[in-house]
Amino acid sequence: MRQGLVVLVASIAVAGSWPTGAQNAPPWDERYRSLPDAAAIGRYMERLSARPHHVGAPYTKDNADWMLARFREWGWQARIETYEVLFPTPKERLLEMIAPTPFKAALEEPAIPEDPTSGQKTEQLPTYNIYSIDGDVTGPLVYVNYGRPEDYEELDALGVSVRGAIVIARYGGSFRGTKPKIAAEHGAIGCLIYSDPRDDGYFSDAVFPEGPMRNRDGVQRGSVMDLPMYSGDPLTPGVAAVPGAKRLPIADAPTLTKIPVLPISYGDAQPLLAAMRGPVAPAAWRGALPVTYRLGPGPSRVHLKVSFNWDTKTIYDVIAMLPGSTFPDEWIVRGNHHDAWVNGASDPVSGMAPELEEARSLGVLIEQGWKPKRTIVYAAWDGEEAALLGSTEWVEQHREELRDKAVAYINTDGNSRGFLQAGGSHTLEPFVNEIARSVIDPETKGTVWKRWQANRISGGSPDARSEARTRADLRIAALGSGSDYTPFLQHHGTASLNLSFGGLDEDGIYHSIYDDFYHFRKFSDPGFLYGRALAQFAGTAVIRLADADLLPYDFTALADTAQTYVRELQNLLKQRQDEVKERNRQITDGVLVAVNDPKRPRPIPAVEPVPPALNFAPLENAVAALTRAADRYRKAAAAGVPSLNADPVRLRTVNARLIQSERQFIDERGLPRRPWYRHLLYAPGYYTGYGVKTMPGVREAIEEKRYADVEPEVIRAAAALDRETALVNGVAENLERMGK
Ligand SMILES: [Zn+2]
């Protein structure tokens, strides 16, 4: 029935199209934008989210087979690629408070009568954090806010230690996997992570099912692997997890946690927090539970016991291709994951369903006579939620092929109503802006670009405001991690984009059983209009990348962005120097002693050495040279691009060089402490996990006070910029010769 509808939609679109070869037919990307159908996106979502579909679930394979059949029905060459990965599931989960009053945590999300899929108990994964180690620990509780490095600095300043304690951190502020990592570095023996109603519960709106926010039993599942080390199967770093691959013993896998971890609801957290004593938490740390937030340690003592089935599971990537007619060895790759924690209507299906509708619509264009010049590869990744498994293993398996062929990777992962959210390689910043000027916002009926700009103007600082009003292009964000672009961009060096709409609705169902079709249709994008806009946006990007004579990379935006990073680094150092000088002065002047409260004394810190002056000249020079090269390239490209008909060989040569432009930022040695991450401009922060660190080698050395490491990293980043400059100058020269 549902499949029949899809075919019907396709045939209507064909019937309303232009005859092949019509003289005044609009460009293919313009024709394309009339094809995606919002109702079809809704039907795919209903199908894909009908049952739980985590790694290893029967319905995950069922979904993969269903998508495979759809791709084939729409004219694609499609196959499923599989990998064998470590995917532990809970065997035992116990959390109890043994003092001062006994309490046993429920660790259970109840079914809700009006939500039809919430009762699929037998297929749901219990609430847990994947890649926690087994453990059985008992200790006093310490509240650590979001569990970020700065939170531990504050605890130190207040004289509270987590050594030998079980920490309770709230979700938010950082990637969940960094919370147990940092807790363990400070000597904690266990880690609880709970969803505070201040962050995604009743503080913002009514809770589910009355409203969209997290209810008292809702739990955020999720991975706690050390993602900033490497993504993918914990046992096969850097190589594909195929039969026969060399695998680490589980005990040696560096991305598993060092201490046991369990996520809990605020219903389960409240009695634990209410029983705590010790200093009152700083004002910014207090959540929205009706308790006085205190730091501990204790007197709440908890017993945490978790153990897992350490199973290997098969994951199913659906890979579909439309072969290119002119440049078949240049690939445009587009992906979204299909696995979820439970039903996952929002995460990931609100991105996966539009991707499928793109695939159907591109199939329609092919029927109308479109012949994409480059090969288009559409992927539906499995296992993203655990560790970006499907995308990482695929990139690791196909690395040789991708090195020459991968032009760009376009990722989505979830979508809702509102403003464009675009992040990625800055060589694609003008390209993204052009597309935003071509796609219509479904609510305002203006362009997506106009609404994007308005959001920047209304929400920004005075500087950001004036820039959004006057700069030709709006800036795109740099990518950290948290979705499938990571192996492409930061390991492999493929120019990448991550796209979505959002910013208008808040919800609190992330990674719970309540992220389902019922919730999405009631509270998110009921008519799937932004799903359609996303399909229009990403599909337009794919078509323009596939058909461009000269690949649409630009280096001016890149140089401008690199310039801002260098300035930020200089300011960061200056700020650190000023802070240390001021604090030292307050220590030696006796200011800290004089303001100390004898009732609640804070330890007086020791005087610290002031951060040294550091030489950023290599980076400044490299950015200046890249700026000149980018300018030269722009002029050369504007003066004349080799035409496909007149000089296909030269065009091919030029594009082959351009494809390598993002790879110039790859350094085979990788980043300090984490060689799998090899991009010297963008990386997920070692202590933020999702949050990006730009020029990470340099920035993290300053942030972590490893000042001796700064200048060598400055030189390495400058060398990467110099490689890029040489490439850009070389291509510009080639184009200039062409113009003569
Ligand atoms: Zn996702």
Side-chain angles (χ1 to χ4, degrees):
M1 173 67 178
R2 206 173 285 117
Q3 294 171 22
L5 282 175
V6 170
V7 174
L8 183 65
V9 170
S11 56
I12 290 168
V14 173
S17 67
W18 295 267
T20 307
Q23 283 306 300
N24 297 316
W28 289 110
D29 73 284
E30 194 183 323
R31 293 198 205 185
Y32 163 82
R33 283 192 294 280
S34 69
L35 296 175
D37 174 45
I41 291 171
R43 287 192 299 275
Y44 308 148
M45 180 182 285
E46 193 173 8
R47 147 82 218 187
L48 293 170
S49 65
R51 287 168 52 192
H53 52 111
H54 50 271
V55 165
Y59 200 62
T60 307
K61 171 74 164 50
D62 201 76
N63 272 342
D65 288 338
W66 181 81
M67 289 187 283
L68 179 73
R70 296 291 76 70
F71 276 115
R72 287 179 175 163
E73 177 185 309
W74 299 330
W76 294 65
Q77 299 172 9
R79 62 178 186 274
I80 288 180
E81 297 189 29
T82 62
Y83 302 96
E84 306 297 319
V85 296
L86 182 70
F87 190 89
T89 53
K91 188 151 68 180
E92 213 177 351
R93 300 171 307 143
L94 172 71
L95 173 64
E96 56 186 354
M97 179 159 64
I98 51 177
T101 42
F103 166 76
K104 186 158 182 267
L107 311 178
E108 182 63 35
E109 296 180 297
I112 288 176
E114 55 266 58
D115 177 353
T117 58
S118 66
Q120 297 168 331
K121 284 286 154 198
T122 55
E123 292 184 62
Q124 293 166 356
L125 275 176
T127 54
Y128 80 118
N129 286 130
I130 193 170
Y131 301 129
S132 161
I133 57 162
D134 292 347
D136 184 351
V137 291
T138 301
L141 268 187
V142 176
Y143 176 59
V144 297
N145 193 31
Y146 293 116
R148 302 164 299 185
E150 58 266 38
D151 296 324
Y152 286 89
E153 278 174 30
E154 183 68 21
L155 285 171
D156 278 349
L158 292 164
V160 175
S161 166
V162 303
R163 196 155 292 282
I166 295 174
V167 302
I168 179 163
R170 54 174 168 158
Y171 267 117
S174 64
F175 166 55
R176 73 183 80 70
T178 60
K179 298 173 195 283
K181 168 175 167 168
I182 298 167
E185 285 179 359
H186 286 81
I189 58 170
C191 178
L192 302 173
I193 314 178
Y194 81 104
S195 300
D196 195 286
R198 174 74 181 77
D199 298 303
D200 68 357
Y202 54 70
F203 189 79
S204 311
D205 201 342
V207 302
F208 192 67
E210 184 197 343
M213 305 309 297
R214 199 175 298 272
N215 57 39
R216 71 186 304 280
D217 301 306
V219 178
Q220 183 189 137
R221 289 161 189 74
S223 175
V224 285
M225 78 175 303
D226 194 355
L227 179 62
M229 288 286 288
Y230 55 86
S231 65
D233 177 25
L235 304 185
T236 62
V239 300
V242 292
K246 192 169 162 266
R247 285 168 204 258
L248 297 172
I250 290 173
D252 295 348
T255 54
L256 304 183
T257 63
K258 307 290 180 275
I259 55 176
V261 192
L262 192 67
I264 59 176
S265 66
Y266 58 81
D268 279 340
Q270 186 173 333
L272 309 182
L273 291 169
M276 289 181 70
R277 293 297 177 264
V280 172
W285 290 32
R286 299 171 199 161
L289 286 169
V291 303
T292 303
Y293 285 73
R294 292 178 184 273
L295 302 176
S300 329
R301 276 183 78 77
V302 297
H303 173 209
L304 167 66
K305 187 174 184 196
V306 287
S307 67
F308 302 92
N309 306 300
W310 291 92
D311 296 333
T312 297
K313 298 266 166 79
T314 305
I315 56 169
Y316 303 90
D317 287 346
V318 186
I319 306 290
M321 289 202 184
L322 294 174
S325 58
T326 314
F327 309 113
D329 287 337
E330 296 178 13
W331 290 5
I332 314 302
V333 188
R334 162 85 178 96
N336 196 105
H337 68 100
H338 69 80
D339 68 298
W341 274 118
V342 195
N343 296 75
S346 170
D347 179 9
V349 179
S350 63
M352 190 67 243
E355 189 192 320
L356 288 175
E357 185 56 2
E358 289 163 47
R360 185 193 66 79
S361 304
L362 295 177
V364 172
L365 283 193
I366 298 271
E367 280 181 33
Q368 294 180 4
W370 179 51
K371 292 185 173 55
K373 289 185 185 138
R374 296 186 176 81
T375 294
I376 297 172
V377 181
Y378 266 50
W381 310 116
D382 196 357
E384 186 271 356
E385 290 297 355
L388 321 180
L389 292 164
S391 54
T392 302
E393 300 311 318
W394 193 81
V395 167
E396 288 175 347
Q397 184 173 23
H398 298 277
R399 75 168 73 243
E400 304 293 325
E401 197 166 21
L402 290 170
R403 186 167 52 213
D404 295 330
K405 295 180 178 174
V407 171
Y409 173 66
I410 300 173
N411 189 70
T412 54
D413 181 355
N415 193 55
S416 59
R417 291 186 319 120
F419 313 102
L420 179 68
Q421 327 262 318
S425 301
H426 289 86
T427 50
L428 295 172
E429 185 172 278
F431 176 72
V432 169
N433 276 266
E434 268 179 39
I435 297 165
R437 292 184 179 97
S438 306
V439 178
I440 299 301
D441 176 82
E443 285 177 345
T444 63
K445 315 292 184 206
T447 64
V448 162
W449 194 88
K450 211 55 208 162
R451 203 175 193 199
W452 185 20
Q453 182 199 31
N455 187 39
R456 284 282 165 86
I457 293 171
S458 73
S461 63
D463 281 355
R465 239 189 342 258
S466 90
E467 187 181 83
R469 285 200 169 102
T470 54
R471 194 171 184 260
D473 288 327
L474 296 166
R475 290 183 189 277
I476 63 172
L479 292 177
S481 190
S483 195
D484 292 304
Y485 51 78
T486 274
F488 285 93
L489 178 64
Q490 294 142 350
H491 180 62
H492 185 265
T494 301
S496 298
L497 290 174
N498 188 50
L499 303 169
S500 67
F501 290 93
L504 290 179
D505 298 313
E506 274 193 88
D507 66 55
I509 40 87
Y510 180 57
H511 292 183
S512 76
I513 64 170
Y514 312 117
D515 175 1
D516 57 22
F517 192 63
Y518 175 83
H519 185 285
F520 192 89
R521 220 172 26 170
K522 195 160 178 200
F523 297 113
S524 192
D525 180 17
F528 309 100
L529 298 178
Y530 279 89
R532 179 169 182 265
L534 184 64
Q536 290 171 322
F537 199 105
T540 300
V542 167
I543 294 170
R544 290 187 186 172
L545 281 164
D547 278 354
D549 280 350
L550 183 70
L551 286 169
Y553 304 114
D554 176 86
F555 303 97
T556 311
L558 172 68
D560 180 46
T561 305
Q563 173 80 68
T564 65
Y565 296 162
V566 176
R567 247 184 257 130
E568 282 170 18
L569 293 170
Q570 289 168 318
N571 291 339
L572 175 65
L573 178 65
K574 168 87 171 47
Q575 188 197 328
R576 288 293 152 103
Q577 290 167 331
D578 291 349
E579 278 168 12
V580 174
K581 279 183 205 156
E582 177 59 30
R583 196 176 46 243
N584 287 349
R585 188 171 167 188
Q586 293 190 15
I587 295 164
T588 50
D589 285 0
V591 169
L592 290 188
V593 173
V595 295
N596 216 349
D597 178 352
K599 258 168 75 186
R600 301 176 194 82
R602 293 173 70 126
I604 305 299
V607 168
E608 239 185 81
V610 177
L614 295 166
N615 182 17
F616 290 96
L619 271 176
E620 291 177 311
N621 295 337
V623 168
L626 179 61
T627 305
R628 288 191 299 273
D631 196 41
R632 179 181 172 190
Y633 175 82
R634 254 200 186 183
K635 289 197 181 100
V641 173
S643 98
L644 183 55
N645 296 329
D647 198 346
V649 176
R650 187 184 296 258
L651 189 59
R652 219 175 286 255
T653 311
V654 164
N655 283 330
R657 286 302 292 150
L658 288 174
I659 288 173
Q660 298 305 318
S661 60
E662 193 75 24
R663 319 255 204 279
Q664 304 311 308
F665 293 104
I666 294 292
D667 186 314
E668 296 295 332
R669 291 165 291 175
L671 293 176
R673 301 172 290 185
R674 41 189 183 138
W676 188 89
Y677 282 94
R678 306 188 301 172
H679 201 298
L680 297 190
L681 275 194
Y682 317 117
Y686 190 78
Y687 287 117
T688 58
Y690 285 169
V692 65
K693 295 293 175 184
T694 54
M695 295 189 178
V698 183
R699 191 179 300 264
E700 291 189 327
I702 299 173
E703 288 177 348
E704 295 168 25
K705 304 179 187 174
R706 292 181 281 105
Y707 297 110
D709 298 343
V710 174
E711 286 182 354
E713 289 299 319
V714 163
I715 287 167
R716 223 150 64 102
L721 288 165
D722 288 343
R723 291 194 293 273
E724 185 77 341
T725 298
L727 182 146
V728 173
N729 273 324
V731 176
E733 192 185 326
N734 200 335
L735 291 175
E736 286 158 2
R737 271 191 279 127
M738 184 64 207
K740 280 177 192 142

